[in-house]
Amino acid sequence: MAALKLVCALVLCMLVVEPIATTAITCGDVTSKVAGCLSYLQNGGNVPKACCDGIRSLNMMARTTPDRQTVCGCLQTAAKAVKIKGNLAETLPAKCSVNIPYKISTSTNCKKL
């Protein structure tokens, strides 16, 4: 009987903890991570350290396909809302030495990532 109670308690803990551990990335997360890139994306010049730090952090957060699709879509929405130079966005991962498995572009089909 004690073993059954222990198993039930463990299952309950797993149900409570699991949703917390798998929180999805939001567009708010994406915006806050790439905010340091805005001046570069609009004007060019040197890429700020805060921008590259944000890109690295965002890349580490987006490990699953759904997370990558969300990030991609959020970046596209942001690019349309704020005038940026698309060619600068495409080169940003390389300038920050970050390997992103897709092209950062408004023409990228985020659903096929």
Side-chain angles (χ1 to χ4, degrees):
M1 187 61 142
L4 181 60
K5 286 182 182 180
L6 179 60
V7 170
C8 288
L10 288 173
V11 170
L12 181 61
C13 286
M14 289 170 52
L15 291 174
V16 171
V17 173
E18 182 62 22
I20 294 169
T22 59
T23 55
I25 295 175
T26 67
C27 284
D29 296 329
V30 174
T31 301
S32 69
K33 297 293 182 192
V34 298
C37 303
L38 188 57
S39 64
Y40 169 76
L41 292 171
Q42 291 178 324
N43 306 309
N46 293 325
V47 179
K49 181 184 180 314
C51 172
C52 288
D53 291 345
I55 295 294
R56 279 188 206 94
S57 177
L58 189 58
N59 191 42
M60 283 191 261
M61 290 171 62
R63 292 293 184 196
T64 67
T65 298
D67 284 343
R68 287 188 191 111
Q69 290 170 332
T70 297
V71 170
C72 178
C74 293
L75 290 173
Q76 287 181 340
T77 300
K80 291 174 187 170
V82 179
K83 293 191 184 235
I84 65 168
K85 296 178 180 175
N87 60 325
L88 295 176
E90 290 177 22
T91 63
L92 193 55
K95 290 191 178 238
C96 291
S97 300
V98 177
N99 184 20
I100 296 177
Y102 58 90
K103 181 178 170 183
I104 297 178
S105 170
T106 54
S107 64
T108 299
N109 184 344
C110 299
K111 292 179 183 179
K112 290 190 175 183
L113 297 182

